[in-house]
Amino acid sequence: MTIFEYENDIVILDMGLQFPEENMPGIDYIIPNIKYLEGKEKNVKGVIFSHGHLDHIGAAPILLKKLGYPPVIGLPLTIEMIKHRVEDYSRNDLKLLKVLQVKSLKDKIKLGKFTAGFFQVEHSIMDSVGTTLETPLGTIIHAGDWTMEREEDGSTHVKYTQLKDVKRPSVLMLESLGAIKQGRHATHKELYDNLISIIQKAKGRVIIATFGSQVERVKWVITAAGELGKRVALDGYSMKKNIELASKLGYIKPDKKTMIDIHKSEDYPDDKVVIVCTGAQGEENAALNRIVSGQHRTIKLKKTDTVIFSSSVIPGNERTIQRIKDNIYRQADHVIHGDLMDVHVSGHATRQDIIDMIDQTKPDYYMPVYANHFFLKEAKWLAEEQGFNSNKIFVPDNGSVFELSSKGLTLRKEKVPTEYVFVDGLGVSDSQHVVLRDRQVLAEEGMIVVITTVDSHTGQLVQNPDIISRGFVFLKDNKQLIEDVRKKVKKMVVESDPKTWADTDQIRNDIRDKIGQFIFSKTEKRPMVLPVVIRV
Amino acid sequence: MTIFEYENDIVILDMGLQFPEENMPGIDYIIPNIKYLEGKEKNVKGVIFSHGHLDHIGAAPILLKKLGYPPVIGLPLTIEMIKHRVEDYSRNDLKLLKVLQVKSLKDKIKLGKFTAGFFQVEHSIMDSVGTTLETPLGTIIHAGDWTMEREEDGSTHVKYTQLKDVKRPSVLMLESLGAIKQGRHATHKELYDNLISIIQKAKGRVIIATFGSQVERVKWVITAAGELGKRVALDGYSMKKNIELASKLGYIKPDKKTMIDIHKSEDYPDDKVVIVCTGAQGEENAALNRIVSGQHRTIKLKKTDTVIFSSSVIPGNERTIQRIKDNIYRQADHVIHGDLMDVHVSGHATRQDIIDMIDQTKPDYYMPVYANHFFLKEAKWLAEEQGFNSNKIFVPDNGSVFELSSKGLTLRKEKVPTEYVFVDGLGVSDSQHVVLRDRQVLAEEGMIVVITTVDSHTGQLVQNPDIISRGFVFLKDNKQLIEDVRKKVKKMVVESDPKTWADTDQIRNDIRDKIGQFIFSKTEKRPMVLPVVIRV
């Protein structure tokens, strides 16, 4: 999410979600922190969405609501996907959504002092768009997520030279995930030819796993299968929904005969069936995992199936994908993935694309964005190597504030709040860190609850201490350890002088410390020790 | 770990450890299950170790002890590393270790009915070795971990044609991690030239992060720095220990002036200092992370430093590495990693290497091993493409049993036990699954302990229920929820009829179910509910 502000007018670009990191167990996802906008809700003249992927629209239902539903701006598929997500999150809010749909790339939309314009970009979903934001002081050019599709001779489909002519000074904000990507992508023709060839040769079913949001790719498969007279069945909630939305808008026009219901696929010969499903990242509940683990209602893997992984691996998912691949290779004799054949088109630019984009738009300032910091720095170094003035390249951090004035672009000293805001079940909170720390201790070491019941007058133990433990050691194998803990607690309570207890804090702290030490000496584990003293 | 058995003689190859998967929180590592050897300990004539990496020797201290210290067989550095590990694990056991050191690759060692022979292989640590195991029925050829070093013209340093002449039939067991690795590795000369060029050009310090076990690579750095008149400081316990062992054996002979203490590195000009440290995988406690996070005793990153990542990424560590890279790029202006320059030599073979190895050894049977199942299958398909008889290729699974008899090699129906054996603190156990399930629930959803104290005669509540929760919700933001839970419990106990309680199980189950449902309806979380009923 990026916020643009000019006097009392604010324009926002994208409201994405981030998936949790490995030290955030139980968190569903993370959304942008909008504390900076508190009290300025009325100033927000519009929210522009560059395209419909979750890392660009996923936080929209929560954040639009918090901001009192400012107008949303985007191309048709993007808008449909936002509507669907808002409806999914809270059905009654759909009527509150205000939409300014971009009908043509020539549209200009006034948003207070800003004038938004648009330009074509290529990405792995239809209706991806770049934005220009003209202000009285200059123009921001933001490409959203983008790549440059090329022919084998290197020529590109789209040119960006018109962006040289925006009101100056111009600031090019450029998604730079491909800053260390050398070489060229396979051309669309190469990829499509690969796909056709695999689907044609397959003597059994073809099962293609990809993201639910890779709408372009699914369209190719539908087209290729249609050409070859094969049927296509889709599986996975998000994929079916996205293809339905894209079809409604006329972006996909499959032959009526081509599309079949997944549960009817057994009615056709195997070599006439292509299944496209979600789960190429190994997601536990996605269609592919259900098929591979034998839990799918109708589809079981067969030796003769050809399984295609058509997606790049999201960092963090490597081991899960290795496990699912192992399971597929055990069951099917034809597996195809990007390592040995180009079956995936990346939606992100390469180093050469970044060089060409800068060269074609000739901005006054270059700001690599939308990637890990180390990619941004590599993009900066790349531009410097090409002769771009290094004083006019700015690498932002989360929360950085830049000012465009008559003096040009400068980094301001202050930062806006960017603490993670966690979505955890129904809770949305930026004070989840304590809970996460506890979860990590519980996960690594487990916990042990020690309950002692004492007579409130005499301080004498009323009964044997209760010990409950989970996630610590296997109790059946460690009866003696638990018994030793019980004895130790008993001894501590009996020996402590109840008359000195101001409250039960002291004995509880004692139990926590000493039992903790005792357990560590026996096991080298540090479970969370939770002492409870009940006075009756 | 592989077990070879002929009548009453057993030979074991390698005793490695496996690092825990992401759904195994708190587990230190996993070791091979040796239930099959119970009662056969006396039959074990020797344990051969192919090389000194942890995934080949890491379980040795535990398993050798369990087996009553059968003789260990290996080349000098491997043996030194095992000794060090046994000593680290339990100092007094070092004297129990029996060693049969391989003095020359021409050695033949009789191990009952087996005769072990050895052959040279290339890998990223000195003293890696391949093994032949001759039996009255034929010969096993096992390459351990291996690669083929080549010149630019593709010629290899080592030839394996002599392995054609082993007693037939022969079974080639071949580590096949590179089964989908196309193209060629950079040559050693290219890598060394890159390294020299980077170290020479650096205007500040050079900091090279790698594995502690990549002894060959560290040797190169020491040689290169020495040639350029720069000093080398090592950091990281395992690296320092391994280089010490390799130096003791004469494998590394640095100029006395070259090696300096890390804490003295500030005494030299920055452009004369090369630091080699552990932590290229982003490991939390390793030297690199301490340097990057500002927690290192003497080394702080400077803008002028050149940081080199000289190691491939182990699947599962990608996000951690991205985070550490972000932090390095924030602090240093020169970062070099494998994506843009060859600074890492892989210790594993490519597809072409596998093809050449099979071609040179011409085995009767081929068994790809030591990799994920999907790599093994790819290796099988690769050999088939080359014309290897597919009936003579066997892809083993964990626990598979093969029999070599006069009929040739066959897969037997039975499997030996392979349940994971977990090392968790001081505990070594194969019944940790319950504990791990609990840990996962605790990590994802947290827990809530509900303690009710009732009068054992009347069943009346003696005092308000106590509620303790950890890892569930942030309590300060959720006081009302906790109060509601307390009220609900109170009502349940008051309304239940204590006279019907055979024991407290019923009310505990009730509390678990109803409070669980109530919490889910309010939060969409399912924390572990632990009801405790105390009768006084």
Side-chain angles (χ1 to χ4, degrees), chain B residues 91 175 241 387 422:
Chain B
R91 180 169 293 273
E175 175 258 294
K241 192 71 205 175
F422 297 102

Side-chain angles (χ1 to χ4, degrees), chain A residues 122-150:
Chain A
E122 292 158 312
H123 188 49
S124 51
I125 185 168
M126 296 87 160
D127 283 351
S128 298
V129 73
T131 304
T132 57
L133 273 182
E134 193 187 304
T135 75
L137 280 163
T139 308
I140 307 292
I141 304 168
H142 198 305
D145 280 4
W146 67 291
T147 185
M148 274 189 184
E149 292 167 19
R150 291 167 191 265

Side-chain angles (χ1 to χ4, degrees), chain A residues 146 350-360 382 386:
Chain A
W146 67 291
T350 62
R351 283 167 76 84
Q352 188 58 49
D353 297 341
I354 293 174
I355 293 171
D356 289 353
M357 176 65 101
I358 294 175
D359 189 54
Q360 290 180 18
L382 177 64
Q386 302 297 315

Side-chain angles (χ1 to χ4, degrees), chain B residues 22 28 71 136 173 213 239 242 245 265 283 306 313 322 370 396 401 445-446 464:
Chain B
E22 61 270 39
D28 299 321
M173 297 180 75
S213 58
M239 177 175 296
N242 291 338
L245 296 176
S265 63
E283 303 94 320
T306 299
V313 178
Q322 285 195 343
Y370 275 9
V401 180
E445 318 275 340
N464 246 344

Side-chain angles (χ1 to χ4, degrees), chain B residues 202-215:
Chain B
K203 297 203 178 81
R205 298 178 301 186
V206 176
I207 299 174
I208 302 176
T210 184
F211 292 118
S213 58
Q214 300 302 59
V215 184

Side-chain angles (χ1 to χ4, degrees), chain B residues 46-112:
Chain B
V47 185
I48 302 172
F49 290 92
S50 63
H51 62 289
H53 285 160
L54 283 182
D55 50 338
H56 297 261
I57 68 164
I62 298 174
L63 298 187
L64 289 174
K65 186 176 191 136
K66 282 202 179 181
L67 294 174
Y69 289 102
V72 301
I73 297 141
L75 269 63
L77 184 59
T78 313
I79 296 294
E80 284 304 312
M81 290 174 81
I82 292 168
K83 279 187 187 167
H84 168 60
R85 211 169 153 84
V86 167
E87 197 178 4
D88 246 15
Y89 187 76
S90 98
R91 180 169 293 273
N92 295 327
D93 279 19
L94 190 55
K95 59 181 183 299
L96 301 172
L97 203 64
K98 290 187 269 304
V99 173
L100 292 173
Q101 191 159 301
V102 180
K103 295 196 181 66
S104 147
L105 290 182
K106 290 181 187 150
D107 285 3
K108 298 281 171 193
I109 300 183
K110 286 291 280 183
L111 300 164

Side-chain angles (χ1 to χ4, degrees), chain A residues 378-389:
Chain A
E378 289 280 1
K380 172 185 156 79
W381 297 343
L382 177 64
E384 284 172 2
E385 278 172 30
Q386 302 297 315
F388 205 98
N389 180 347

Side-chain angles (χ1 to χ4, degrees), chain B residues 123-143:
Chain B
H123 189 49
S124 52
I125 185 168
M126 296 87 159
D127 284 351
S128 298
V129 73
T131 304
T132 57
L133 273 182
E134 193 185 304
T135 75
L137 281 162
T139 307
I140 307 292
I141 304 169
H142 197 304

